[in-house]
Structures are given as C-alpha cells and as structure tokens.
C-alpha cells in the first residue's frame, strides 16, 4: 500500500500584462494583488447612490477649478510599492493625471480617494487597503 501525498494546487500568478488582458474580457472586476487576481464584490443600490452622490458633488466643485478632475469607480489605481491595482468608489486628481503606461485606465496619482464602506468590505477598506493608500502617499512625498 502506498501513501498518497496530498499537494495543494499551485495558484497561478499573473503578470500585469496578463491582468490587463483578463480585465478587458472580464464580466466582473478583479483587483491585482502581487500577481493574484481577487474578484471584488458588486455594490448595492445604497452603495451606488452614496458613491454617485459624493462624485456628483465633487463634479460640481470641479466646475470652479480648472485643475481638478473627478473620477468614478471604474478607474483602476495602481499602488507600485505594493504591486497592486485596486478599485475605489471614486475620487479626484489635482493638476495633471499620471497614468500607468502598461495598461488603460490605471491611475498613479489620485489626490483624494473615495471608499464607500459596506459590511463585506469595511475591514479591508479601513485596514490593508487604507494602509496601502497611505504608504503610497507617504512614499510619493518622501521622494520629493
């Protein structure tokens, strides 16, 4: 009798290029976290209303400022120091936007990021994701 060795299947790691190709064809959004694709939950009606309202108010403010651009939750944000691409619920960019050259709709320099919290995402949004945003901001200003 031989003993069977149980092995854990190796999770496929993706390159950024493969992630961009995947997102072009995908019907659901995924974040890129160090080579892993992590599906993100769709929002509820309340979540959508809150995000849209905040972005709408920011859009009104942007009409009075030439250097302020409002973006919604379809724009990806790349956090290079963590090799991650995330989605927020919106935000603003002051001055000129910096886009990641390897993919479409991937922002490098958000000024303000909106995250509408829900029961399923609150811990991540307030925890790891928030710390990554902060680390990116601090790194950006530490290098100036």
């Amino acid at each position: 009798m031989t003993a069977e060795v149980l092995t854990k299947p190796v999770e496929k790691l993706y390159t950024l290029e493969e992630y961009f190709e995947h997102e072009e064809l995908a019907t659901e959004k995924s974040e890129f976290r160090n080579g892993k694709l992590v599906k993100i939950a769709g929002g509820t009606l309340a979540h959508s209303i809150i995000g849209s309202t905040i972005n709408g108010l920011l859009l009104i403010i942007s009409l009075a400022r030439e250097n302020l651009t409002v973006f919604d939750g379809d724009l990806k944000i790349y956090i290079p120091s963590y090799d991650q691409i995330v989605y927020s619920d919106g935000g603003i960019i002051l001055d000129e936007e910096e886009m990641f050259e390897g993919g479409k709709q991937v922002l490098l320099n958000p000024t303000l990021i909106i995250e509408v919290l829900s029961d399923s995402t609150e811990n991540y949004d307030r925890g790891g994701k928030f710390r990554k945003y902060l680390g990116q901001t601090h790194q950006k200003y530490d290098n100036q």
Side-chain angles (χ1 to χ4, degrees):
M1 178 179 264
T2 62
E4 289 185 35
V5 178
L6 297 177
T7 59
K8 185 177 178 180
V10 177
E11 185 174 6
K12 177 174 174 33
L13 295 180
Y14 294 81
T15 65
L16 278 172
E17 292 75 22
E18 290 172 322
Y19 167 74
F20 294 135
E21 290 172 10
H22 174 270
E23 284 292 285
E24 286 288 325
L25 303 173
T27 57
E28 297 176 327
K29 293 180 183 177
S30 296
E31 292 186 346
F32 179 85
R33 300 183 192 164
N34 300 311
K36 296 178 184 175
L37 303 188
V38 180
K39 289 183 183 176
I40 58 173
T44 63
L45 177 60
H47 188 123
S48 179
I49 291 170
I50 293 167
S52 296
T53 301
I54 293 169
N55 285 323
L57 292 170
L58 290 173
L59 187 59
I60 292 168
I61 293 168
S62 75
L63 297 174
R65 292 195 58 164
E66 290 183 27
N67 64 341
L68 190 145
T69 304
V70 178
F71 63 90
D72 68 12
D74 287 331
L75 186 66
K76 299 170 192 72
I77 299 170
Y78 183 49
I79 307 172
S81 55
Y82 292 94
D83 194 27
Q84 296 198 5
I85 294 177
V86 298
Y87 284 92
S88 68
D89 292 303
I92 61 171
I93 308 160
L94 286 178
D95 300 319
E96 196 68 29
E97 67 273 355
E98 297 173 25
M99 305 302 287
F100 182 73
E101 59 194 62
K104 297 178 182 177
Q105 299 179 339
V106 182
L107 182 65
L108 291 170
N109 66 330
T111 304
L112 175 105
I113 298 168
I114 297 168
E115 291 288 353
V116 178
L117 302 180
S118 65
D119 290 340
S120 64
T121 66
E122 181 177 7
N123 288 339
Y124 173 56
D125 289 344
R126 285 185 187 263
K129 193 173 184 183
F130 181 69
R131 283 191 298 276
K132 289 170 189 161
Y133 285 145
L134 282 179
Q136 182 65 21
T137 303
H138 291 176
Q139 183 181 43
K140 177 180 175 183
Y141 291 108
D142 288 345
N143 291 333
Q144 290 184 357

